[in-house]
Amino acid sequence: MQKKSYTCSRVLKSNYRKDLMFFTFLQHAWLSLRRAHYFERSIGIKLIIGFVGLSMLWYIHLLARILPGFLQEFYPDSSAHELYFSVLFVLFLSDQLMRLLGQKLPRHKIAPYLHLPVPRKKLASYTLLRGWLSPFNIYLVLVSYPFLRRVIVPDYGQTVFWLTIIGLLLIAGLSHSIVIWAKSSEKRGLVIWYAGLALAAIATWLFFSEAKEASINFGLALMSGHWAAYAALATPIAGLNYLALQNLQKSYSLVITPSASKFQGSGFMGRLFARIPVYGPYWDLEWKLLTRNKRPRANVYQWPFAIFVVLAMITSAFNESTIISFYPILLMFMGSFGFYHLQYTFSWESRFFDFIAVSSIDMKTFILAKYYFYTGAALLQLILILPVVWYFQPAAVPMLFSLMLYATGPVFALLIYLGVSNSTRLDPNKKAIFNFEGTSGILFVSILLIFVSLVPVAVAGMLLPWGKKTGIYVSTAITGLAFISTHKWWLSATARKFASKKYQNLNKYREQ
Amino acid sequence: MQINISQLQKIYGQQTVLDIDQLQISKGELLGIVGNNGAGKTTLFRLVLDLIQASGGEVQLNGQSVAGSEHWKTLTGSYLDEGFLIDFMTPEEYFYFVASLIGMSKEAADEKLRFFSRFMNDEILEQKKFIRQFSTGNKQKVGIIAAMLVQPELLILDEPFNFLDPTSQILIKRMLKEENEARGTTMLISSHNLNHITEICSRIILLEKGKIIKDLTPSNDDLQEIEKYFSVNAD
């Protein structure tokens, strides 16, 4: 016993030596990950996640095998690596866009360390360094590696291949550094970043061929190991990281003296919902939940992108032969953000479900209000996109209409009904991209079921006497309408199911 | 509101955390519940509020089982912990939401809120902050006010004096007494602080390992008896 306590104190002492501080932080980060709620998932979930990960790697490998031959056939005058370099700037811009939506500022949970004798600079350096261990910095190289290996190594050898990979890592590093600097600079940096991104996108559009040429030349410079190309990437990386370090140290002071709240009152929607009888207070609650918490708010902000994607797909790639392949993807978008949000039904409220359980909230009204809210959002989305689709692709209108009915019918029914099994405590104000908080086996099953459910509906539609396409639209719309018209019945069933699982769910919602 | 508890048990695995044979709480009674950590105070409250399922027995409010009906919810106000707060609302929004659930208008809610103005000490309303941005003490105040705002027939507060400054502790005691005397509200209050409990409660029960080991009406002798119990435990 004595020996054990001696060992512990020695470890503690050595951990607090300045030079070992970094490892102590790493150790703490590992412990916080290992002991996180989402890490204690069942082995089944871990296996499913592992399977999905391995499948993705397999697809990347397959793509690397197929793509060079494909490129050779369609672009016989260009080499595969040059074609790859020609889209390097597009990749960089889309990478920036993805990071804009998804990448978090690397904030270590620093509050417990601030009162300890830990230098802030040390904390800031650690958080900055740890930020580099982001999936955003790895995926580009991971996806490109097998393809580039296949197209560069046979003709140019290993050295050239590795020089290219280092160049790609630096490109990812530059993208990372821009984002981290902008997100750590509060408003000013973000404005500069948004403006820069918008200008770059406009310039690319206006001078596409020049940008393509420059992109190829830059890629070839990296490939040939030209020092200027590496310096052009490494210099801004160093500068931006230095600035981000300063910003992070400043932000640690803000932890102690928090800035004034930016809250501006209930707003227009709050006042509007307050006037609506019965469902008004519930919609107001839903609206506030969506707009005042980081995780659902990110989803609301992505809503215009969803509308844009639908319009882009319909106006650019829609034609008679590709119609069926659009079906499952568009189903996701036509449910609007309800499709994503309802996957975590009831878990969103987990932090205050005790309140719901003891107050005079009727569970059936609560669920009905939720359903009407997201159905209304899907309808609103359809109304917004319909004039544009009508103008460019009138043939797509029946498809979108039937898919909206299907999404708000059986899809929402399934999500809300299976959502009763979402018993995970979820913090809606915590960003949760690339972690599995709130994810459950039932969620995987429900998403799978949603997409699979379209198959029998489509097959039944083909058997109808109005032709393949029309038959599919009709069968999809009829299925959707059947669920919509019976929504009170199945939502009552959901409320009853929730009541029967009430104690079990409330117990789990309370778990930290 | 009359409360009848009979044969109430809560068992987790092999461990019985609450085992109350009979407990009657009359209308207008201000019952204090004391006991060390793990004595079963919060479990009792959760069972009364039907937040956890009893392993045996039942709780009846006005003759109706809490697990079998929901009517009692409109007559009950409660605050056990932060799980009772909708933390992305402002206190005003939360109060109006709670009021709207029992059909109380905004004006009526504002009128009721005036009663709590000293307790709020200009730190709750019009702060332009969400509840999650408040200190623990002020969150506690928001929860207590929301529970009392609906003028319930039964008020349940778990450790209401925790995190509050001395002035607020005095004010909350005064408010509870006033409410109890004026409206005959039945109250269940738990606390570790014996002085607070003996000062306001008309009856005190002492819980130990889930069982009621003493049921007292506060007097100097009773207070000494409870103090003796806690000091013996500390020794």
Side-chain angles (χ1 to χ4, degrees), chain A residues 261 263 265-266 281-282 285 288-289 292-293 351-362 429 502-503 506-507 510, chain B residues 46 49-53 67 73-74 78 83-90 93-94 97-98 100-102 128 130 132-133:
Chain A
S261 163
F263 177 72
S266 269
Y282 297 96
L285 176 67
K288 288 185 169 84
L289 177 76
R292 292 180 178 180
N293 293 287
R351 280 162 66 89
F352 56 92
F353 228 110
D354 272 350
F355 164 76
I356 291 174
V358 300
S359 57
S360 43
I361 287 177
D362 172 48
N429 199 38
K502 175 184 154 182
Y503 302 113
L506 290 185
N507 243 341
R510 272 182 223 117
Chain B
R46 284 191 172 147
L49 291 168
D50 194 38
L51 288 173
I52 51 175
Q53 192 170 24
K73 288 183 180 177
T74 51
S78 54
F84 280 55
L85 299 173
I86 304 179
D87 64 1
F88 51 82
M89 286 186 171
T90 62
E93 288 168 351
Y94 180 59
F97 180 67
V98 170
S100 73
L101 293 173
I102 57 151
K128 299 196 185 302
F130 299 132
R132 65 176 175 234
Q133 293 167 308

Side-chain angles (χ1 to χ4, degrees), chain B residues 174-193:
Chain B
R174 199 179 291 167
M175 286 183 332
L176 290 173
K177 277 220 101 148
E178 276 177 28
E179 189 72 6
N180 176 251
E181 282 164 12
R183 299 189 59 253
T185 311
T186 311
M187 296 185 182
L188 306 187
I189 313 283
S190 76
S191 178
H192 290 294
N193 191 316

Side-chain angles (χ1 to χ4, degrees), chain A residues 404-459:
Chain A
M404 195 282 282
L405 292 175
Y406 195 83
T408 53
V411 172
F412 282 11
L414 200 70
L415 287 173
I416 295 175
Y417 190 75
L418 293 178
V420 176
S421 302
N422 289 342
S423 51
T424 313
R425 184 181 170 92
L426 188 148
D427 183 355
N429 199 38
K430 198 170 114 186
K431 279 190 180 173
I433 292 169
F434 290 122
N435 78 32
F436 305 107
E437 191 199 27
T439 307
S440 66
I442 207 79
L443 188 58
F444 279 101
V445 173
S446 55
I447 302 298
L448 198 69
L449 276 174
I450 283 163
F451 290 116
V452 171
S453 71
L454 265 180
V455 177
V457 173
V459 170

